[in-house]
């Protein structure tokens, strides 16, 4: 199962998104954005199954919340993770 990250500028925005999205049967986690994709060094991200990407985009638009960046998370054989931007 592949995962994606949606990066936001504040903890409050991620919590608003998480609260709305977790009302269904799906699970959305809040994490500190990895340093390689963090904007200004202190961003937060929502981590979710990549199949839920349209739902996350729609919910952000509905709530008027800007997504700073979206990334697909890939696991490498050496245990590292790589984040590929979603256009």
């Amino acid at each position: 199962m592949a995962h994606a990250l949606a990066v936001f500028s504040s903890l409050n925005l991620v919590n608003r998104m998480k609260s709305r999205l977790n009302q269904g049967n799906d699970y959305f986690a809040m994490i500190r954005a990895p340093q390689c994709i963090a904007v200004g060094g202190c961003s937060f991200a929502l981590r979710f199954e990549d199949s839920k990407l349209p739902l996350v985009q729609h919910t952000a638009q509905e709530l008027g919340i800007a997504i700073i960046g979206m990334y697909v998370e890939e696991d490498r054989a050496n245990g590292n993770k790589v984040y590929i931007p979603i256009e």
Side-chain angles (χ1 to χ4, degrees):
M1 168 183 358
H3 286 92
L5 298 179
V7 180
F8 299 89
S9 62
S10 76
L11 179 62
N12 182 45
L13 295 177
V14 177
N15 277 329
R16 284 181 56 202
M17 288 288 294
K18 182 180 168 195
S19 293
R20 175 68 67 92
L21 291 165
N22 280 337
Q23 290 176 358
N25 292 330
D26 300 311
Y27 178 70
F28 295 82
M30 183 204 61
I31 64 169
R32 185 172 276 283
Q35 186 176 1
C36 61
I37 62 173
V39 177
C42 69
S43 299
F44 293 88
L46 193 65
R47 186 173 185 264
F48 52 93
E49 292 177 23
D50 64 349
S51 63
K52 305 298 179 193
L53 182 60
L55 175 61
V56 170
Q57 291 172 315
H58 175 75
T59 302
Q61 185 177 25
E62 187 178 82
L63 295 174
I65 295 174
I67 299 173
I68 294 174
M70 299 202 65
Y71 301 85
V72 172
E73 179 183 85
E74 286 190 4
D75 292 322
R76 299 296 174 163
N78 62 4
N80 291 333
K81 292 184 188 285
V82 175
Y83 301 94
I84 302 166
I86 298 171
E87 299 297 322

